[in-house]
Amino acid sequence: MGRASVRRPVLRIRGPHHSSRPDTLVVEEPLEIRVAGRALAVTMRTPGHDVELAHGFLLTEGVIAGREDVAVARYCDGVDDEGRNTYNVLDIALAEGVPAPDPGVERNFYTTSSCGVCGKASLDAVRLTSRHAPAGDPVTVDTEVLSSLPDTLRDHQRLFSTTGGLHAAALFDADGRLLVAREDVGRHNAVDKVVGWAVSEGRVPLTGTVLMVSGRASFELAQKAVMAGIPVLAAVSAPSSLAVDLAEETGLTVVGFLRGNGMNVYSHPHRIAVTEPAAPARSAAR
């Protein structure tokens, strides 16, 4: 299996001082996802949790609705120039009766680590219809709980600590308990790995949960949350206008600039319960 990080020599310059030393880099390699032997997409990802990534990708693209729609996932032969298997081709066999992917899902180009919707066959295919839309989810999340999520996510970014080059996504319940965290060079891949874990665990739709991401809340991440039935998407940075438009339409709560005890709620704020400051203790009567 490919490694998630590698060591490379670098020239380290700090003002007038310089030295040669090894540095740790995050690995970026292509993964070709096939369905029944037919190439569906190629994404640039960090190796690891590839089956989760594929399951999450297929669910957020509307190909499957849950783990019962997948019969088997297996690596195919993908060899390097020395004839070694790179484990960079994954073939998914759908369960009997599950229709093959719609032609609109097929990517005309590879998906880079920075773009999860590049190469869509048409713009209309970008807006997908979710089988697990979160509009009716009654969950509420306390602002004190939300404020704790970025630190918890950061504590579980093992590869980021050594490379500084990965995005992360994590799934929490409404009380702030961590369910799963994943890292990847692509922000959309990190989310697909989280969703794919939920598919494998039979947890879809992900009602009553919060998806926390380490960067911005882009349209593609909002769409993935909606497709998985996640009611709250929280990000340490800003959302895009299209992400908020999609959230308003589908019932997704989007929280941005989640830092310290501050945050902005961009859509469906009824799910956010503002923590009231504790009243100062009253001094004993004398």
Side-chain angles (χ1 to χ4, degrees), residues 62-73:
V63 177
I64 64 173
R67 66 179 177 182
E68 67 279 358
D69 289 345
V70 176
V72 66

Side-chain angles (χ1 to χ4, degrees), residues 8-212:
R8 292 287 188 268
V10 300
L11 175 63
R12 182 183 174 94
I13 301 173
R14 297 294 183 270
H17 307 289
H18 66 274
S19 61
S20 296
R21 53 170 289 182
D23 194 21
T24 303
L25 303 178
V26 63
V27 170
E28 182 178 27
E29 292 182 356
L31 176 68
E32 180 180 319
I33 299 174
R34 298 177 181 175
V35 174
R38 179 180 177 181
L40 187 68
V42 177
T43 186
M44 300 301 295
R45 97 306 189 189
T46 301
H49 304 288
D50 289 338
V51 173
E52 290 180 353
L53 192 161
H55 284 177
F57 175 82
L58 292 177
L59 184 133
T60 59
E61 293 289 339
V63 177
I64 64 173
R67 66 179 177 182
E68 67 279 358
D69 289 345
V70 176
V72 66
R74 58 180 178 272
Y75 285 102
C76 304
D77 290 336
V79 297
D80 61 17
D81 54 7
E82 297 181 5
R84 297 173 299 193
N85 197 327
T86 60
Y87 295 96
N88 284 342
V89 182
L90 191 64
D91 193 15
I92 307 295
L94 300 178
E96 185 176 356
V98 177
D102 185 89
V105 175
E106 188 172 347
R107 305 297 176 94
N108 292 333
F109 310 101
Y110 76 92
T111 304
T112 71
S113 57
S114 62
C115 178
V117 296
C118 303
K120 283 283 193 177
S122 70
L123 188 59
D124 289 341
V126 172
R127 288 183 178 270
L128 302 175
T129 302
S130 174
R131 293 178 245 190
H132 310 299
D137 195 320
V139 70
T140 59
V141 184
D142 196 278
T143 52
E144 188 173 6
V145 169
L146 285 170
S147 296
S148 71
L149 303 189
D151 286 344
T152 303
L153 176 59
R154 181 67 182 83
D155 289 342
H156 287 79
Q157 291 182 250
R158 179 181 59 85
L159 282 173
F160 181 84
S161 298
T162 57
T163 66
L166 287 100
H167 296 281
L171 195 67
F172 296 87
D173 68 14
D175 294 321
R177 287 186 288 264
L178 177 70
L179 302 177
V180 64
R182 293 289 183 261
E183 293 180 284
D184 198 276
V185 71
R187 60 171 58 88
H188 54 282
N189 290 335
V191 172
D192 277 341
K193 288 178 178 181
V194 165
V195 173
W197 170 86
V199 171
S200 300
E201 295 292 317
R203 288 174 172 258
V204 176
L206 284 166
T207 55
T209 60
V210 179
L211 176 64
M212 179 76 214

